[in-house]
Amino acid sequence: MTQISLALADDHPLMLAALVELFRNTDEFSVVATGTNADDIFEIGLRSGPDVFIVDLMMQGNVLETIPKLVRCGGKTKILAFSAMSKCDLAIKTLDAGASGYVLKGSSPHELIEAVKAVHRGEIFITRELACKLVEEQRIAPLRRLAGAPIKFTSREDQIISMLTRGSTNRQIASELKIGEKTVKNYMTILMQKLNARNRLEVLIAAQKLANEREQFSRH
């Protein structure tokens, strides 16, 4: 069985030790490196190239600036934020910066393990409690405004939305569709306008919500 390689970054020694112990107690994972600040995240990401990097957000340095730098340069590495902060705005900023998941530190070990597996598969994972808050607080008003207005996507827009739901970065989308990254950004701007969304995460939530509503409508 191929193991998922992990790197872990947290500036609390007890938390870091607990994470190492959790993942070293299963054959599914191998811990290849640990760090305690934002600089470590970038250096370890480039040097070790883990499959998944679990990072605390409140460490020395600017983690939110480090995440997109590593995503651009770190190849296959997926970033999973592991934070005590349950603010929706912070979660949105983190995912918009390029992280593939956001898990609260109050979550169970099982949920954290499932989150690692999900982002490794290319999915976006958000702690259920926080995901509910995001949908309620960030999307209710815009979705109500959109409810009576049919939205049509081009085939290319549908392709991009599908890849976004799999956790693909702009670079990966551009590579698979054989278009430029600038073109992908242009499509993202169009999707944000169509869905009345402010960022990448809101595009996903709005598109998925609309798809579910249309599916339910078609059954009646």
mmCIF file of all heavy atoms in Angstrom, residues 42-83:
data_model
loop_
_atom_site.group_PDB
_atom_site.id
_atom_site.type_symbol
_atom_site.label_atom_id
_atom_site.label_comp_id
_atom_site.label_asym_id
_atom_site.label_seq_id
_atom_site.Cartn_x
_atom_site.Cartn_y
_atom_site.Cartn_z
ATOM 1 N N PHE A 42 7.325 26.822 3.814
ATOM 2 C CA PHE A 42 7.825 26.971 2.446
ATOM 3 C C PHE A 42 9.059 26.106 2.208
ATOM 4 O O PHE A 42 9.154 25.395 1.199
ATOM 5 C CB PHE A 42 8.147 28.438 2.173
ATOM 6 C CG PHE A 42 8.460 28.729 0.731
ATOM 7 C CD1 PHE A 42 7.473 28.632 -0.236
ATOM 8 C CD2 PHE A 42 9.738 29.086 0.343
ATOM 9 C CE1 PHE A 42 7.755 28.893 -1.574
ATOM 10 C CE2 PHE A 42 10.030 29.347 -0.984
ATOM 11 C CZ PHE A 42 9.032 29.248 -1.946
ATOM 12 N N GLU A 43 9.994 26.130 3.148
ATOM 13 C CA GLU A 43 11.236 25.370 2.979
ATOM 14 C C GLU A 43 10.979 23.868 2.946
ATOM 15 O O GLU A 43 11.519 23.145 2.099
ATOM 16 C CB GLU A 43 12.209 25.722 4.108
ATOM 17 C CG GLU A 43 12.724 27.155 4.039
ATOM 18 C CD GLU A 43 13.530 27.541 5.266
ATOM 19 O OE1 GLU A 43 13.792 26.648 6.101
ATOM 20 O OE2 GLU A 43 13.887 28.727 5.396
ATOM 21 N N ILE A 44 10.144 23.385 3.862
ATOM 22 C CA ILE A 44 9.838 21.953 3.907
ATOM 23 C C ILE A 44 9.060 21.534 2.663
ATOM 24 O O ILE A 44 9.302 20.464 2.088
ATOM 25 C CB ILE A 44 9.037 21.611 5.180
ATOM 26 C CG1 ILE A 44 9.928 21.757 6.419
ATOM 27 C CG2 ILE A 44 8.465 20.193 5.103
ATOM 28 C CD1 ILE A 44 9.163 21.670 7.735
ATOM 29 N N GLY A 45 8.123 22.390 2.244
ATOM 30 C CA GLY A 45 7.334 22.066 1.061
ATOM 31 C C GLY A 45 8.199 21.866 -0.165
ATOM 32 O O GLY A 45 7.996 20.924 -0.944
ATOM 33 N N LEU A 46 9.187 22.734 -0.337
ATOM 34 C CA LEU A 46 10.077 22.618 -1.496
ATOM 35 C C LEU A 46 11.055 21.460 -1.342
ATOM 36 O O LEU A 46 11.332 20.739 -2.301
ATOM 37 C CB LEU A 46 10.853 23.923 -1.691
ATOM 38 C CG LEU A 46 10.038 25.154 -2.107
ATOM 39 C CD1 LEU A 46 10.970 26.336 -2.352
ATOM 40 C CD2 LEU A 46 9.215 24.877 -3.357
ATOM 41 N N ARG A 47 11.573 21.282 -0.126
ATOM 42 C CA ARG A 47 12.602 20.267 0.090
ATOM 43 C C ARG A 47 12.033 18.849 0.118
ATOM 44 O O ARG A 47 12.574 17.936 -0.514
ATOM 45 C CB ARG A 47 13.327 20.539 1.410
ATOM 46 C CG ARG A 47 14.473 19.553 1.692
ATOM 47 C CD ARG A 47 15.159 19.851 3.007
ATOM 48 N NE ARG A 47 14.322 19.553 4.152
ATOM 49 C CZ ARG A 47 13.830 20.451 4.993
ATOM 50 N NH1 ARG A 47 14.075 21.742 4.802
ATOM 51 N NH2 ARG A 47 13.077 20.096 6.021
ATOM 52 N N SER A 48 10.932 18.660 0.829
ATOM 53 C CA SER A 48 10.405 17.312 1.048
ATOM 54 C C SER A 48 9.258 16.950 0.115
ATOM 55 O O SER A 48 8.989 15.770 -0.105
ATOM 56 C CB SER A 48 9.942 17.163 2.505
ATOM 57 O OG SER A 48 11.012 17.407 3.403
ATOM 58 N N GLY A 49 8.549 17.955 -0.408
ATOM 59 C CA GLY A 49 7.447 17.693 -1.332
ATOM 60 C C GLY A 49 6.423 16.709 -0.815
ATOM 61 O O GLY A 49 6.094 15.737 -1.505
ATOM 62 N N PRO A 50 5.892 16.915 0.403
ATOM 63 C CA PRO A 50 4.908 15.964 0.936
ATOM 64 C C PRO A 50 3.627 15.963 0.109
ATOM 65 O O PRO A 50 3.311 16.944 -0.566
ATOM 66 C CB PRO A 50 4.645 16.502 2.350
ATOM 67 C CG PRO A 50 4.899 17.974 2.232
ATOM 68 C CD PRO A 50 6.055 18.092 1.280
ATOM 69 N N ASP A 51 2.888 14.875 0.184
ATOM 70 C CA ASP A 51 1.592 14.825 -0.502
ATOM 71 C C ASP A 51 0.630 15.834 0.115
ATOM 72 O O ASP A 51 -0.104 16.523 -0.596
ATOM 73 C CB ASP A 51 0.985 13.423 -0.401
ATOM 74 C CG ASP A 51 1.794 12.385 -1.157
ATOM 75 O OD1 ASP A 51 2.277 12.699 -2.261
ATOM 76 O OD2 ASP A 51 1.947 11.266 -0.640
ATOM 77 N N VAL A 52 0.628 15.888 1.445
ATOM 78 C CA VAL A 52 -0.264 16.796 2.173
ATOM 79 C C VAL A 52 0.531 17.496 3.268
ATOM 80 O O VAL A 52 1.336 16.865 3.956
ATOM 81 C CB VAL A 52 -1.458 16.040 2.800
ATOM 82 C CG1 VAL A 52 -2.360 17.000 3.579
ATOM 83 C CG2 VAL A 52 -2.267 15.314 1.727
ATOM 84 N N PHE A 53 0.300 18.789 3.409
ATOM 85 C CA PHE A 53 0.972 19.583 4.444
ATOM 86 C C PHE A 53 -0.106 20.138 5.371
ATOM 87 O O PHE A 53 -0.938 20.941 4.960
ATOM 88 C CB PHE A 53 1.752 20.735 3.808
ATOM 89 C CG PHE A 53 2.929 21.207 4.616
ATOM 90 C CD1 PHE A 53 4.106 21.587 3.988
ATOM 91 C CD2 PHE A 53 2.870 21.276 6.007
ATOM 92 C CE1 PHE A 53 5.211 22.021 4.723
ATOM 93 C CE2 PHE A 53 3.958 21.704 6.754
ATOM 94 C CZ PHE A 53 5.134 22.082 6.110
ATOM 95 N N ILE A 54 -0.111 19.686 6.627
ATOM 96 C CA ILE A 54 -1.070 20.173 7.622
ATOM 97 C C ILE A 54 -0.440 21.364 8.335
ATOM 98 O O ILE A 54 0.630 21.235 8.940
ATOM 99 C CB ILE A 54 -1.422 19.072 8.637
ATOM 100 C CG1 ILE A 54 -2.023 17.861 7.923
ATOM 101 C CG2 ILE A 54 -2.396 19.603 9.686
ATOM 102 C CD1 ILE A 54 -2.291 16.677 8.838
ATOM 103 N N VAL A 55 -1.099 22.521 8.266
ATOM 104 C CA VAL A 55 -0.486 23.735 8.814
ATOM 105 C C VAL A 55 -1.440 24.471 9.751
ATOM 106 O O VAL A 55 -2.628 24.604 9.475
ATOM 107 C CB VAL A 55 -0.030 24.695 7.688
ATOM 108 C CG1 VAL A 55 0.927 23.993 6.737
ATOM 109 C CG2 VAL A 55 -1.204 25.256 6.915
ATOM 110 N N ASP A 56 -0.888 24.932 10.863
ATOM 111 C CA ASP A 56 -1.603 25.862 11.732
ATOM 112 C C ASP A 56 -1.486 27.250 11.101
ATOM 113 O O ASP A 56 -0.484 27.558 10.449
ATOM 114 C CB ASP A 56 -0.974 25.840 13.127
ATOM 115 C CG ASP A 56 -1.666 26.785 14.095
ATOM 116 O OD1 ASP A 56 -2.871 27.029 13.917
ATOM 117 O OD2 ASP A 56 -1.002 27.281 15.016
ATOM 118 N N LEU A 57 -2.491 28.081 11.276
ATOM 119 C CA LEU A 57 -2.468 29.408 10.654
ATOM 120 C C LEU A 57 -1.836 30.472 11.532
ATOM 121 O O LEU A 57 -1.329 31.471 11.034
ATOM 122 C CB LEU A 57 -3.893 29.837 10.283
ATOM 123 C CG LEU A 57 -4.619 28.954 9.269
ATOM 124 C CD1 LEU A 57 -6.029 29.482 9.046
ATOM 125 C CD2 LEU A 57 -3.860 28.874 7.958
ATOM 126 N N MET A 58 -1.871 30.267 12.850
ATOM 127 C CA MET A 58 -1.408 31.289 13.783
ATOM 128 C C MET A 58 0.009 30.986 14.269
ATOM 129 O O MET A 58 0.232 30.684 15.440
ATOM 130 C CB MET A 58 -2.379 31.399 14.968
ATOM 131 C CG MET A 58 -3.779 31.773 14.551
ATOM 132 S SD MET A 58 -3.798 33.384 13.715
ATOM 133 C CE MET A 58 -5.144 33.168 12.573
ATOM 134 N N MET A 59 0.953 31.029 13.354
ATOM 135 C CA MET A 59 2.353 30.809 13.702
ATOM 136 C C MET A 59 3.160 32.048 13.342
ATOM 137 O O MET A 59 2.664 32.963 12.686
ATOM 138 C CB MET A 59 2.910 29.597 12.944
ATOM 139 C CG MET A 59 2.261 28.281 13.288
ATOM 140 S SD MET A 59 3.090 26.888 12.486
ATOM 141 C CE MET A 59 2.666 27.189 10.772
ATOM 142 N N GLN A 60 4.416 32.063 13.768
ATOM 143 C CA GLN A 60 5.297 33.170 13.420
ATOM 144 C C GLN A 60 5.433 33.271 11.905
ATOM 145 O O GLN A 60 5.607 32.276 11.210
ATOM 146 C CB GLN A 60 6.677 32.959 14.044
ATOM 147 C CG GLN A 60 7.653 34.097 13.762
ATOM 148 C CD GLN A 60 9.009 33.855 14.404
ATOM 149 O OE1 GLN A 60 9.182 32.920 15.166
ATOM 150 N NE2 GLN A 60 9.967 34.700 14.088
ATOM 151 N N GLY A 61 5.353 34.499 11.390
ATOM 152 C CA GLY A 61 5.373 34.705 9.950
ATOM 153 C C GLY A 61 3.957 34.788 9.412
ATOM 154 O O GLY A 61 2.983 34.667 10.151
ATOM 155 N N ASN A 62 3.835 35.002 8.121
ATOM 156 C CA ASN A 62 2.519 35.150 7.500
ATOM 157 C C ASN A 62 2.168 33.877 6.734
ATOM 158 O O ASN A 62 2.593 33.679 5.598
ATOM 159 C CB ASN A 62 2.511 36.361 6.557
ATOM 160 C CG ASN A 62 1.104 36.746 6.146
ATOM 161 O OD1 ASN A 62 0.257 35.886 5.916
ATOM 162 N ND2 ASN A 62 0.847 38.044 6.056
ATOM 163 N N VAL A 63 1.395 33.013 7.376
ATOM 164 C CA VAL A 63 1.045 31.728 6.764
ATOM 165 C C VAL A 63 0.171 31.928 5.530
ATOM 166 O O VAL A 63 0.322 31.226 4.528
ATOM 167 C CB VAL A 63 0.342 30.815 7.789
ATOM 168 C CG1 VAL A 63 -0.091 29.502 7.132
ATOM 169 C CG2 VAL A 63 1.262 30.527 8.968
ATOM 170 N N LEU A 64 -0.744 32.908 5.584
ATOM 171 C CA LEU A 64 -1.639 33.136 4.448
ATOM 172 C C LEU A 64 -0.886 33.623 3.209
ATOM 173 O O LEU A 64 -1.347 33.420 2.083
ATOM 174 C CB LEU A 64 -2.730 34.140 4.819
ATOM 175 C CG LEU A 64 -3.843 33.608 5.725
ATOM 176 C CD1 LEU A 64 -4.867 34.695 6.008
ATOM 177 C CD2 LEU A 64 -4.517 32.388 5.118
ATOM 178 N N GLU A 65 0.257 34.259 3.393
ATOM 179 C CA GLU A 65 1.077 34.642 2.244
ATOM 180 C C GLU A 65 1.947 33.478 1.775
ATOM 181 O O GLU A 65 2.291 33.383 0.594
ATOM 182 C CB GLU A 65 1.961 35.837 2.603
ATOM 183 C CG GLU A 65 1.210 37.153 2.723
ATOM 184 C CD GLU A 65 2.143 38.329 2.972
ATOM 185 O OE1 GLU A 65 3.379 38.102 3.041
ATOM 186 O OE2 GLU A 65 1.649 39.460 3.093
ATOM 187 N N THR A 66 2.295 32.599 2.703
ATOM 188 C CA THR A 66 3.150 31.458 2.370
ATOM 189 C C THR A 66 2.393 30.402 1.577
ATOM 190 O O THR A 66 2.962 29.765 0.682
ATOM 191 C CB THR A 66 3.716 30.829 3.659
ATOM 192 O OG1 THR A 66 4.445 31.825 4.383
ATOM 193 C CG2 THR A 66 4.639 29.666 3.338
ATOM 194 N N ILE A 67 1.111 30.210 1.883
ATOM 195 C CA ILE A 67 0.332 29.160 1.212
ATOM 196 C C ILE A 67 0.340 29.316 -0.308
ATOM 197 O O ILE A 67 0.678 28.363 -1.025
ATOM 198 C CB ILE A 67 -1.110 29.108 1.764
ATOM 199 C CG1 ILE A 67 -1.100 28.550 3.190
ATOM 200 C CG2 ILE A 67 -2.004 28.238 0.873
ATOM 201 C CD1 ILE A 67 -2.449 28.609 3.882
ATOM 202 N N PRO A 68 -0.024 30.489 -0.868
ATOM 203 C CA PRO A 68 -0.008 30.590 -2.337
ATOM 204 C C PRO A 68 1.389 30.453 -2.936
ATOM 205 O O PRO A 68 1.543 29.942 -4.043
ATOM 206 C CB PRO A 68 -0.606 31.977 -2.608
ATOM 207 C CG PRO A 68 -0.477 32.731 -1.331
ATOM 208 C CD PRO A 68 -0.566 31.709 -0.245
ATOM 209 N N LYS A 69 2.413 30.890 -2.200
ATOM 210 C CA LYS A 69 3.788 30.722 -2.689
ATOM 211 C C LYS A 69 4.116 29.245 -2.836
ATOM 212 O O LYS A 69 4.693 28.822 -3.843
ATOM 213 C CB LYS A 69 4.778 31.375 -1.720
ATOM 214 C CG LYS A 69 4.822 32.892 -1.779
ATOM 215 C CD LYS A 69 5.668 33.468 -0.660
ATOM 216 C CE LYS A 69 7.081 32.914 -0.658
ATOM 217 N NZ LYS A 69 7.880 33.472 0.467
ATOM 218 N N LEU A 70 3.730 28.450 -1.843
ATOM 219 C CA LEU A 70 4.024 27.021 -1.900
ATOM 220 C C LEU A 70 3.169 26.328 -2.950
ATOM 221 O O LEU A 70 3.651 25.439 -3.660
ATOM 222 C CB LEU A 70 3.790 26.382 -0.529
ATOM 223 C CG LEU A 70 4.104 24.883 -0.441
ATOM 224 C CD1 LEU A 70 5.538 24.603 -0.864
ATOM 225 C CD2 LEU A 70 3.850 24.372 0.976
ATOM 226 N N VAL A 71 1.912 26.738 -3.075
ATOM 227 C CA VAL A 71 1.032 26.137 -4.084
ATOM 228 C C VAL A 71 1.605 26.356 -5.485
ATOM 229 O O VAL A 71 1.575 25.461 -6.331
ATOM 230 C CB VAL A 71 -0.396 26.720 -3.982
ATOM 231 C CG1 VAL A 71 -1.239 26.305 -5.185
ATOM 232 C CG2 VAL A 71 -1.063 26.260 -2.691
ATOM 233 N N ARG A 72 2.155 27.553 -5.711
ATOM 234 C CA ARG A 72 2.732 27.854 -7.028
ATOM 235 C C ARG A 72 4.007 27.057 -7.289
ATOM 236 O O ARG A 72 4.278 26.670 -8.423
ATOM 237 C CB ARG A 72 3.039 29.350 -7.144
ATOM 238 C CG ARG A 72 1.817 30.232 -7.299
ATOM 239 C CD ARG A 72 2.204 31.632 -7.741
ATOM 240 N NE ARG A 72 3.046 32.302 -6.763
ATOM 241 C CZ ARG A 72 2.587 33.077 -5.791
ATOM 242 N NH1 ARG A 72 1.289 33.271 -5.667
ATOM 243 N NH2 ARG A 72 3.412 33.667 -4.948
ATOM 244 N N CYS A 73 4.773 26.811 -6.226
ATOM 245 C CA CYS A 73 6.094 26.191 -6.408
ATOM 246 C C CYS A 73 6.181 24.754 -5.907
ATOM 247 O O CYS A 73 7.158 24.060 -6.195
ATOM 248 C CB CYS A 73 7.165 27.006 -5.679
ATOM 249 S SG CYS A 73 7.239 28.740 -6.130
ATOM 250 N N GLY A 74 5.170 24.317 -5.154
ATOM 251 C CA GLY A 74 5.298 23.045 -4.445
ATOM 252 C C GLY A 74 4.780 21.824 -5.164
ATOM 253 O O GLY A 74 4.664 20.753 -4.565
ATOM 254 N N GLY A 75 4.458 21.949 -6.442
ATOM 255 C CA GLY A 75 4.060 20.774 -7.211
ATOM 256 C C GLY A 75 2.801 20.116 -6.690
ATOM 257 O O GLY A 75 1.744 20.726 -6.601
ATOM 258 N N LYS A 76 2.912 18.859 -6.283
ATOM 259 C CA LYS A 76 1.745 18.048 -5.917
ATOM 260 C C LYS A 76 1.210 18.350 -4.521
ATOM 261 O O LYS A 76 0.109 17.910 -4.168
ATOM 262 C CB LYS A 76 2.128 16.569 -5.961
ATOM 263 C CG LYS A 76 3.182 16.203 -4.915
ATOM 264 C CD LYS A 76 3.517 14.728 -4.910
ATOM 265 C CE LYS A 76 4.538 14.416 -3.803
ATOM 266 N NZ LYS A 76 4.846 12.990 -3.708
ATOM 267 N N THR A 77 1.956 19.055 -3.694
ATOM 268 C CA THR A 77 1.595 19.220 -2.287
ATOM 269 C C THR A 77 0.256 19.931 -2.105
ATOM 270 O O THR A 77 0.021 21.002 -2.654
ATOM 271 C CB THR A 77 2.678 20.009 -1.526
ATOM 272 O OG1 THR A 77 3.910 19.287 -1.586
ATOM 273 C CG2 THR A 77 2.291 20.194 -0.067
ATOM 274 N N LYS A 78 -0.622 19.311 -1.311
ATOM 275 C CA LYS A 78 -1.905 19.904 -0.947
ATOM 276 C C LYS A 78 -1.794 20.474 0.464
ATOM 277 O O LYS A 78 -1.215 19.847 1.352
ATOM 278 C CB LYS A 78 -3.022 18.856 -0.979
ATOM 279 C CG LYS A 78 -3.204 18.170 -2.320
ATOM 280 C CD LYS A 78 -3.756 19.118 -3.364
ATOM 281 C CE LYS A 78 -4.065 18.383 -4.665
ATOM 282 N NZ LYS A 78 -4.594 19.286 -5.699
ATOM 283 N N ILE A 79 -2.361 21.659 0.663
ATOM 284 C CA ILE A 79 -2.307 22.317 1.965
ATOM 285 C C ILE A 79 -3.624 22.094 2.705
ATOM 286 O O ILE A 79 -4.701 22.359 2.164
ATOM 287 C CB ILE A 79 -2.072 23.831 1.823
ATOM 288 C CG1 ILE A 79 -0.857 24.116 0.936
ATOM 289 C CG2 ILE A 79 -1.909 24.472 3.200
ATOM 290 C CD1 ILE A 79 0.449 23.669 1.497
ATOM 291 N N LEU A 80 -3.522 21.617 3.946
ATOM 292 C CA LEU A 80 -4.692 21.439 4.805
ATOM 293 C C LEU A 80 -4.515 22.300 6.049
ATOM 294 O O LEU A 80 -3.615 22.061 6.849
ATOM 295 C CB LEU A 80 -4.849 19.968 5.198
ATOM 296 C CG LEU A 80 -5.990 19.629 6.166
ATOM 297 C CD1 LEU A 80 -7.341 19.982 5.548
ATOM 298 C CD2 LEU A 80 -5.948 18.155 6.552
ATOM 299 N N ALA A 81 -5.346 23.334 6.176
ATOM 300 C CA ALA A 81 -5.274 24.203 7.349
ATOM 301 C C ALA A 81 -5.897 23.493 8.544
ATOM 302 O O ALA A 81 -6.969 22.895 8.434
ATOM 303 C CB ALA A 81 -6.000 25.515 7.076
ATOM 304 N N PHE A 82 -5.209 23.577 9.689
ATOM 305 C CA PHE A 82 -5.683 22.953 10.930
ATOM 306 C C PHE A 82 -5.641 24.041 11.990
ATOM 307 O O PHE A 82 -4.580 24.372 12.517
ATOM 308 C CB PHE A 82 -4.780 21.779 11.292
ATOM 309 C CG PHE A 82 -5.260 20.957 12.452
ATOM 310 C CD1 PHE A 82 -6.567 20.498 12.508
ATOM 311 C CD2 PHE A 82 -4.396 20.620 13.483
ATOM 312 C CE1 PHE A 82 -7.007 19.726 13.572
ATOM 313 C CE2 PHE A 82 -4.825 19.851 14.553
ATOM 314 C CZ PHE A 82 -6.129 19.400 14.597
ATOM 315 N N SER A 83 -6.804 24.629 12.273
ATOM 316 C CA SER A 83 -6.826 25.864 13.048
ATOM 317 C C SER A 83 -7.891 25.850 14.133
ATOM 318 O O SER A 83 -8.926 25.191 14.003
ATOM 319 C CB SER A 83 -7.083 27.051 12.105
ATOM 320 O OG SER A 83 -7.223 28.253 12.823
#
